[in-house]
Amino acid sequence: MNKLAKIQGALQAENIEAVLVTSEFNRRYVSGFTGTSGVALILPDKAYFVTDFRYTEQAAKQAVGYEVVKHSGPIFETVNALLIQNGVKQLSFEESYVTVAEFKAMGQAFAAELAPIQGFFETMREVKTADEMKEIRVACEIADAAFDHIITFMKAGMKEIEVSNELEFFMRRNGATSSSFDTIVASGVRSALPHGVASDKVIEAGDFVTMDYGCYYNGYCSDMTRTVAIGEPDAKLKEIYQITLDAQLKVIDALKPGITGIEADKIARDHIASFGYGEAFGHSLGHGIGLEIHEGPNLSMKAEKALVAGNVVTDEPGIYLPGIGGVRIEDDLLITENGNEVLIHSPKELIIL
């Protein structure tokens, strides 16, 4: 069953008469369209992709199974004509992505009643198809290659921003379309900042350097973190590195279908807390990745949902000591029928450059 047929089957099962997809990531997910203008209108037995003259040819190639409709006036007027043509009385829309102004415009343009839905496509997106996994694997391979490169490039005296730029340039040179988020390079005491985006700070001997980065490849992303030392680090930093690594590996040993995000998070959190650093691990263990760098399912103290085969999640415990430094180690994991597959293959034992 192809993706569109699966979506239409879900619409029928949920008694959804029609749904309008306007958000960028869900629009790409449902249609394959990579342009910047257009909406998907899906009924249980029909599907339309409405766009302007700039994208009609592109949509015809990418939005397989959709009838491409060109609009020359306001796009919602064209959508309304299709709703009337198909006798649609109630139109569902993505409530998390529609602004107040857009909602008002839809209310004025559409004869159909508006019905908000939430999480309909996002839940589907949590289970990756074989085709999606091909793209994610390549994105992870590019990130791994970038790590191999950066540990031969980075040295004391460089600025964090130089390292960040080199990572991003390398990934683009090797097939990435873009970074999947603002690259984090945090050195020395700045490594205690979980989201320390690269600065002009000079990397010094004895610094821990945390690099959290990833890339997009054909619309799908990777996300990895490694912490390395420039010269011999302080004993306290070595201690928290090993604790973090052991916590990360314990999660890998445990992740499989049926384990909840709460249970996964607790494995890492309890291990770190047993050494007295519980308060220094302030963020969640991980999150899903795919079309977006943060999507479901989550691994956190509040994530009750159980993992299923096809989920792709991060495993990224960390310890952060203000004024001293910090450590984070992160892999992307595919949940399989019997366990998990680690998609990031860069070494995790402490590297001293």
Side-chain angles (χ1 to χ4, degrees):
M1 179 184 295
N2 64 34
K3 190 180 293 180
L4 179 57
K6 178 183 176 182
I7 292 167
Q8 290 176 316
L11 291 178
Q12 197 162 9
E14 296 291 331
N15 293 316
I16 295 175
E17 195 175 355
V19 61
L20 184 68
V21 185
T22 56
S23 65
E24 175 188 359
F25 293 108
N26 284 340
R27 181 181 63 198
R28 177 163 184 163
Y29 177 76
V30 302
S31 69
F33 178 73
T34 61
T36 59
S37 180
V39 299
L41 175 64
I42 310 173
L43 288 71
D45 58 347
K46 294 179 183 177
Y48 302 94
F49 195 89
V50 184
T51 189
D52 62 54
F53 77 98
R54 298 171 298 169
Y55 293 107
T56 51
E57 185 175 349
Q58 178 180 344
K61 292 178 180 178
Q62 293 181 327
V64 178
Y66 287 75
E67 179 182 336
V68 176
V69 178
K70 182 175 72 173
H71 73 91
S72 52
I75 192 168
F76 287 162
E77 287 185 5
T78 302
V79 171
N80 188 53
L82 294 171
L83 297 175
I84 293 171
Q85 176 184 318
N86 287 276
V88 174
K89 302 299 183 185
Q90 185 179 76
L91 176 66
S92 296
F93 69 94
E94 306 163 281
E95 70 171 40
S96 295
Y97 302 99
V98 172
T99 66
V100 173
E102 288 169 334
F103 180 74
K104 289 179 178 178
M106 288 192 296
Q108 293 171 353
F110 300 154
E113 175 191 358
L114 293 173
I117 58 172
Q118 187 174 49
F120 183 82
F121 298 112
E122 290 80 2
T123 299
M124 289 184 185
R125 284 167 46 190
E126 290 182 5
V127 178
K128 272 56 182 182
T129 65
D131 286 341
E132 289 176 308
M133 282 311 306
K134 288 179 183 178
E135 314 296 11
I136 292 172
R137 287 180 191 280
V138 175
C140 289
E141 289 169 3
I142 294 171
D144 268 334
F147 181 74
D148 289 343
H149 169 70
I150 207 66
I151 59 176
T152 67
F153 172 86
M154 182 170 48
K155 60 186 178 182
M158 285 184 174
K159 293 180 179 180
E160 292 172 352
I161 193 68
E162 292 179 74
V163 176
S164 173
N165 287 341
E166 184 65 21
L167 279 168
E168 297 195 17
F169 294 157
F170 180 92
M171 290 189 291
R172 286 175 180 264
R173 287 195 301 267
N174 286 272
T177 53
S178 69
S179 299
S180 43
F181 53 94
D182 288 340
T183 297
I184 293 169
V185 177
S187 64
V189 295
R190 290 191 75 253
S191 62
L193 301 173
H195 280 182
V197 174
S199 73
D200 284 332
K201 180 191 174 299
V202 174
I203 298 170
E204 301 174 21
D207 280 357
F208 260 13
V209 183
T210 295
M211 297 171 287
D212 185 347
Y213 65 95
C215 70
Y216 269 105
Y217 179 81
N218 284 348
Y220 288 84
C221 62
S222 57
D223 183 3
M224 67 173 283
T225 306
R226 290 294 185 269
T227 301
V228 301
I230 303 295
E232 189 66 25
D234 181 83
K236 175 66 72 174
L237 293 174
K238 283 186 173 181
E239 177 194 7
I240 64 172
Y241 189 97
Q242 191 61 49
I243 295 168
T244 302
L245 175 58
D246 290 342
Q248 208 257 358
L249 293 173
K250 281 179 177 288
V251 172
I252 292 174
D253 287 342
L255 281 194
K256 61 183 179 180
I259 189 171
T260 68
I262 292 173
E263 291 168 335
D265 182 274
K266 190 174 188 298
I267 292 167
R269 201 166 299 282
D270 285 355
H271 179 78
I272 290 172
S274 72
F275 289 88
Y277 293 110
E279 294 298 317
F281 177 25
H283 57 73
S284 300
L285 173 66
H287 55 86
I289 64 168
L291 285 167
E292 294 183 83
I293 192 61
H294 291 100
E295 56 183 52
N298 292 312
L299 307 181
S300 75
M301 291 186 285
K302 297 180 180 180
E304 298 178 350
K305 181 182 287 189
L307 297 176
V308 299
N311 293 155
V312 179
V313 295
T314 67
D315 169 16
E316 50 179 307
I319 297 175
Y320 312 93
L321 305 179
I324 298 174
V327 176
R328 183 164 64 257
I329 303 168
E330 175 186 19
D331 290 327
D332 302 333
L333 280 64
L334 167 65
I335 306 302
T336 62
E337 293 293 340
N338 300 310
N340 68 78
E341 177 189 349
V342 182
L343 303 174
I344 297 293
H345 302 295
S346 296
K348 287 183 283 194
E349 295 297 331
L350 178 59
I351 293 174
I352 300 176
L353 300 177

